[in-house]
Amino acid sequence: MAAERTILVTGGAGYIGGHVTMELAEAGYRIVTLDLCAVSGAPADFVAKAVVGNVGDQGLVAELLAREGFDAVIHLAGYIESGESVENPGKYYENNIVGSLRFLAELAKAGAPPVIFSSSAAVYGGGLSSPLSETEIPSPETPYAVSKLMIEQALAGYRVAHGLRSASLRYFNAAGADPSGRAGEDHDPETHLIPIALQAAAGRRDELVVNGTGFPTADGSCVRDYVHVSDLATAHRLALDCLLAGDPGGVFNVGTGQGHSVLEVAAEAGRVTGQTLTLEVGPPRPGDTAELVADPARFKAWCGWEPRYVDLADMVRHAWAWEQAR
Ligand code: UFG
């Protein structure tokens, strides 16, 4: 059944997009990607067609939707750095909000295929309970987080007005790499903790700068819920199954429910690599939240998701194998 279905993955050239593409292609879906970047996030044979372009280019999107008649859309394209969004909010509002709204307008005109949207734990902001449940009132603290919440809300409006069903997945911190080494994290410049810690351990950087140790957490550094990128990819497949079966969708946390501090991640990077990292304590990053840990119960109950790799050590090991292979 899945073999006849074509899925559009925006942001398919990215880290999460590459893993989602592999997971869905292996499940028998035909994958078309739309990304500004021409290099695929997955090996090329997983992608039926890679379109280079912007999701906000309504002419391009209209033509693509008419030509392919997608059964569903996975909308991952967007800028992803909270800290950068504080420095340059316009970039995030223009691309993540305006671009996505233009994209949704075309989806509504083209029969409103169901959408999985890459939202973020960042929408919660700080000062809420831990672990976080979807019943908390979001309080986004950066333009990036605002952009994610805005599109979640736009999707809710499109559901009412156009019957466009969607699942907004609030990712916690994607981590690790494909266990068989086919894809991994490769941002330029890299800003994410695990690859930077590994590069510091491997001597490819002088040190890991810890962005503040004065947060109200056990060791003073920020706590995050790291979720293996392959489990995140599976989350999309299961969410897709639900939406394609006619489920109305909703908003869901996708995390493991376990938190690890920056200092714990640094220690794990040292263990996995067998090296001693040089740590330097720097100032907090603009907009950083002390702790973001998921209560994933709603998502698990909805689609039956259960993460396979819940140990931080597995995520760091897989990321290290990828880092060494590059
Ligand atoms: N950190 C450091 N030093 C570094 C890099 C990161 O101390 O060199 C800290 C950050 O300040 C943060 C934590 O490590 O406290 C995790 O940072 P990441 O950059 O790896 O991830 P973020 O939590 O900032 O953001 C990521 C994604 C977002 C997503 C969010 C969800 O980039 O898109 O997870 O929690 F919204």
Side-chain angles (χ1 to χ4, degrees), residues 43 70 117 153 162 208 322:
F70 295 107
F117 172 59
Q153 292 173 341
H162 305 292
L208 168 65
W322 171 255

Side-chain angles (χ1 to χ4, degrees), residues 80-82 120-122 144 171-174 191-194 196 208-212 222 224 226 262 285 288-289 292:
I80 60 167
E81 287 169 31
S82 290
S120 169
Y144 165 75
Y171 307 158
F172 283 66
N173 286 54
T191 60
H192 291 93
L193 177 60
I194 292 178
I196 288 178
L208 168 65
V209 178
V210 178
N211 296 335
C222 287
R224 294 288 182 273
Y226 294 91
V262 173
R285 195 163 68 185
D288 235 1
T289 300
L292 289 171

Side-chain angles (χ1 to χ4, degrees), residues 4 107 128 132 145 149 163 169 173 227 248 252 293:
E4 293 155 18
L107 293 184
L128 302 175
L132 289 153
L149 187 60
L169 304 188
N173 286 54
V227 51
F252 303 98
V293 176

Side-chain angles (χ1 to χ4, degrees), residues 147-267:
S147 77
K148 291 295 177 183
L149 187 60
M150 175 77 222
I151 299 306
E152 281 189 7
Q153 292 173 341
L155 283 165
Y158 272 70
R159 181 178 299 135
V160 174
H162 305 292
L164 190 155
R165 292 173 298 109
S166 62
S168 290
L169 304 188
R170 291 178 176 169
Y171 307 158
F172 283 66
N173 286 54
D178 175 51
S180 46
R182 298 169 299 179
E185 194 162 8
D186 192 9
H187 299 108
D188 183 22
E190 188 55 76
T191 60
H192 291 93
L193 177 60
I194 292 178
I196 288 178
L198 290 171
Q199 288 165 12
R204 291 180 204 139
R205 284 175 192 258
D206 293 339
E207 77 263 304
L208 168 65
V209 178
V210 178
N211 296 335
T213 52
F215 290 93
T217 61
D219 65 21
S221 65
C222 287
V223 169
R224 294 288 182 273
D225 180 335
Y226 294 91
V227 51
H228 196 289
V229 66
S230 298
D231 286 326
L232 206 46
T234 305
H236 290 75
R237 177 171 56 76
L238 296 173
L240 190 57
D241 288 347
C242 290
L243 290 174
L244 289 175
D247 191 284
V251 172
F252 303 98
N253 287 340
V254 189
T256 66
Q258 292 174 37
H260 296 283
S261 72
V262 173
L263 295 176
E264 286 169 354
V265 170

Side-chain angles (χ1 to χ4, degrees), residues 55-115:
V55 294
D57 180 341
Q58 288 181 269
L60 170 77
V61 169
E63 193 261 331
L64 183 61
L65 295 173
R67 197 174 62 221
E68 297 284 353
F70 295 107
D71 294 284
V73 172
I74 315 245
H75 180 37
L76 311 173
Y79 294 128
I80 60 167
E81 287 169 31
S82 290
E84 182 192 48
S85 79
V86 175
E87 317 286 344
N88 191 355
K91 175 175 173 180
Y92 281 73
Y93 294 143
E94 177 64 30
N95 188 69
N96 292 12
I97 299 181
V98 177
S100 290
L101 291 177
R102 290 188 173 139
F103 182 64
L104 294 188
E106 293 308 317
L107 293 184
K109 283 190 233 162
V115 174

